[in-house]
């Protein structure tokens, strides 16, 4: 419970004809993590006589079909109509139930043939539509360019067909920042006087004023004139393919763009119709292909001879007997299996995958622990302690019962809604509910319910306390007691970490670290208790022992670690700080709302309500985030820092994750 699951390594050799059924069944069971032997086989003499196993011959075909199927699904998804915010919220609260379809476990070649037939049929319908959409995109670019050019040059009342280059002349059209016009004219005149410059009406864009220009010059001067214009930030507009006047081009371009838009809508509608007929089938097929791809590609992790396959896998010790039974049954006894415990070298080098094993109430908190780092195989797994302390610390920081009710409702909706189809959201839902419930309880005990809403607006006196409040821990009447309680809780929390550290260091024979890292701090605490109970002499004796342990473990400079220990203890005072800030902002919101409501008739009531709701919404969002961050910090820094190593890899079973399919029995 406080340790990761014990692991064992299986080395399995079986005949080639049994490899596929073994892989398929173990993939469905999801109890093993297969090791990649490809590098070791090539580098380690221990594996002499073995070659790296080749992928299943159909693997590349399966991978190709999987990619095609994914591309089709992406196309269908891109054509779906965007959801409104209401629909998105509904999807979180009540996600659409996915009905898995029963499928047969068929051979790879047969699956590939089936997939090719389905994909070809759908692709035959989709490909022309996609091609037309691409053509529409090209046309839209063309008409948008025409529209842009005609709009920029609309002050010239001329048929653009006349602005084409001739055998002897070049036409340069575009726009120039107005501030550079004089420079442009003078520099162009220096190049040649055989130039005609026509100016249009000024236009503005992004606070810059432009002058549309049409310049006609002899061929021989075009390059030099273009160089001058480029240096002066001239933006060239291509009129070479245009004919008609500006207004005619603008009108025609807009008309064509409208046609393109309507045709695009029709194409998307056609794709959606294809999706309605085929999407469910494609999702099932895609999942089958993805799973078959995992199976066919796993062989590259194996070793082989002419007649046998060999692979290694990590298995949770409790699942070893079942795994051996499966392999023995599928191979008719034609297999050799060696079961080994992890070697010291593998443990020391973090080569053993880690699977956490925690009771149901703590399981969601594995998410938070692995956010910091997956436990080391030798580590004590702190998930249970975090499951107890994290939501309590959060509630201690937030301490407003109404805010807690809101968080509880949100967590419940996540758990009962999207949590049904997503394990991560389910875990977050459970954590939010627990955080919310602790917040409700501690809020009622310390006097927080929408700040001082009930005393101020219902009981008529903001100085009164809620009936549920314990007087000695009324947050605003006795903050010193809240601080003392926070420090006591912090000491308990830290001492649990010290005990974990002592256990781990003793098992690892790290005696010096045990003395300086945990035992000395417990002795210092005991010396204080001895002073309070029995006086100075017992204090001095125990304190000297603690100091000697510290010097033994860390040397003379270890004495400086006392300040670090005090810093860790005082860090728990943040529980008081956040508790008071939540209540303080809540009280401010209530006071401002009350003052505004009474200051101006009618309008003041509206303003008061707006300020009241706005500040409380800000408070619950900001303080909840702060409470979560600081609660995590107390675990990640103060708690984990005293014993936790981490840095291992999680156990990743070779497992068929099925959503849209289930194997027909």
């Amino acid at each position: 419970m406080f340790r990761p699951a014990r692991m064992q390594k299986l080395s399995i050799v079986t005949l080639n004809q049994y490899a596929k059924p073994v892989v398929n069944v173990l993939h469905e069971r999801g109890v093993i993590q297969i090791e990649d032997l490809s590098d070791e086989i090539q580098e380690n003499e221990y594996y002499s006589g073995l070659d790296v196993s080749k992928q299943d011959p159909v693997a590349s075909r399966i991978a190709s079909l999987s990619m095609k199927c994914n591309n089709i699904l992406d196309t269908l998804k891109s054509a779906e109509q965007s959801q409104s915010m209401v629909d998105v919220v509904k999807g979180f609260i009540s996600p659409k139930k996915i009905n898995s379809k029963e499928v047969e476990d068929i051979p790879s070649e047969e699956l590939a043939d089936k997939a090719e037939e389905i994909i070809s049929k759908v692709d035959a319908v989709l490909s022309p539509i996609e091609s037309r959409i691409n053509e529409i995109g090209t046309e839209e670019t063309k008409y948008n360019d025409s529209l842009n050019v005609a709009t920029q040059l609309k002050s010239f009342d001329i048929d653009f067909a006349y602005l084409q280059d001739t055998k002897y002349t070049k036409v340069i059209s575009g726009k120039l920042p107005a501030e550079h016009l004089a420079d442009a004219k003078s520099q162009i005149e220096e190049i040649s006087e055989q130039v005609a410059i026509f100016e249009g009406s000024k236009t503005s864009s992004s606070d810059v004023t432009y002058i549309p220009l049409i310049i006609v010059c002899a061929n021989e001067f075009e390059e030099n004139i273009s160089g001058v214009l480029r240096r002066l930030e001239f933006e060239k507009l291509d009129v070479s393919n245009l004919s008609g006047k500006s207004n005619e081009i603008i009108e025609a371009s807009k008309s064509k763009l409208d046609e393109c838009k309507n045709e695009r809508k029709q194409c998307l509608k056609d794709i959606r119709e294809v999706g309605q007929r085929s999407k469910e089938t494609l999702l099932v097929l895609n999942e089958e292909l993805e799973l078959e791809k995992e199976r066919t590609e796993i062989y590259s992790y194996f070793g082989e001879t002419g007649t046998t396959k060999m692979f290694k896998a990590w298995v949770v010790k409790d699942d070893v007997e079942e795994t051996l039974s499966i392999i023995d049954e599928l191979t008719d006894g034609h297999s050799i299996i060696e079961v080994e415990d992890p070697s010291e070298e593998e443990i020391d080098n973090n080569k053993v995958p880690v699977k956490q094993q925690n009771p149901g109430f703590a399981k969601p908190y594995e998410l938070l622990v692995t956010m910091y780092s997956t436990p080391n195989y030798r580590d004590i797994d702190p998930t249970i302690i975090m499951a107890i302390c994290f939501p309590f610390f959060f509630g201690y920081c937030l301490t407003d019962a109404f805010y807690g009710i809101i968080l509880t409702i949100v967590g419940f909706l996540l758990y009962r809604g999207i949590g049904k189809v997503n394990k991560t959201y389910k875990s977050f839902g459970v954590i939010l509910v627990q955080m919310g419930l602790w917040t409700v309880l501690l809020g009622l005990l310390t006097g927080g319910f929408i700040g001082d809403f009930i005393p101020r607006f219902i009981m008529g006196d903001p100085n009164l306390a809620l009936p549920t409040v314990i007087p000695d821990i009324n947050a605003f009447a006795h903050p010193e007691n809240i601080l003392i309680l926070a420090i006591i809780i912090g000491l308990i929390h830290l001492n649990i970490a010290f005990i974990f550290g002592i256990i781990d260091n003793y098992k690892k024979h790290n005696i010096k670290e045990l003395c300086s890292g945990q035992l000395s701090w417990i002795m210092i605490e005991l010396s204080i208790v001895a002073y309070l109970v029995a006086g100075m002499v017992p204090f001095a004796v125990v304190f000297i022992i603690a100091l000697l342990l510290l010097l033994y473990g860390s040397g003379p400079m270890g004495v400086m670690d006392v300040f670090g220990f005090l810093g860790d203890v005082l860090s728990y005072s943040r529980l008081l700080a956040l508790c008071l800030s939540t209540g303080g902002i809540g009280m401010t919101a209530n006071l401002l709302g009350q003052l505004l409501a009474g200051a101006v008739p009618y309008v003041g009531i509206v303003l008061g309500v707006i300020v009241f709701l706005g500040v409380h919404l800000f408070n619950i969002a900001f303080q909840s985030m702060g409470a979560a961050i600081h609660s995590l910090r107390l675990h990640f820094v103060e708690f984990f820092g005293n014993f936790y190593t981490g840095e291992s890899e999680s156990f990743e079973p070779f497992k068929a994750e099925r959503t849209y399919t289930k194997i027909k029995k």
Side-chain angles (χ1 to χ4, degrees), residues 136-137 139-148 250-264:
I136 290 170
E139 291 175 15
E140 285 176 329
T141 301
K142 171 187 170 184
Y143 293 127
N144 275 317
D145 290 344
S146 300
L147 181 62
N148 177 56
I250 290 171
E251 186 177 346
S253 296
K254 287 182 177 179
S255 176
K256 289 292 185 181
L257 285 170
D258 286 340
E259 289 178 15
C260 288
K261 183 179 179 181
N262 291 332
E263 192 172 356
R264 181 185 288 276

Side-chain angles (χ1 to χ4, degrees), residues 403 450-451 585-586 589-590 611-621:
Y403 295 174
I450 322 180
I585 295 173
N590 296 338
V611 169
F612 174 85
L613 293 176
V615 176
H616 276 296
L617 284 173
F618 164 80
N619 198 28
I620 187 172

Side-chain angles (χ1 to χ4, degrees), residues 19-35:
K20 190 171 183 60
V22 167
V23 165
N24 289 357
V25 172
L26 291 177
H27 191 221
E28 293 297 332
R29 291 288 298 117
V31 293
I32 66 170
Q33 175 177 311
I34 297 177
E35 291 282 278

Side-chain angles (χ1 to χ4, degrees), residues 621-637:
F622 184 77
Q623 295 297 339
S624 295
M625 187 183 302
I629 290 170
H630 285 287
S631 298
L632 282 174
R633 186 192 187 281
L634 289 174
H635 285 86
F636 288 173
V637 179

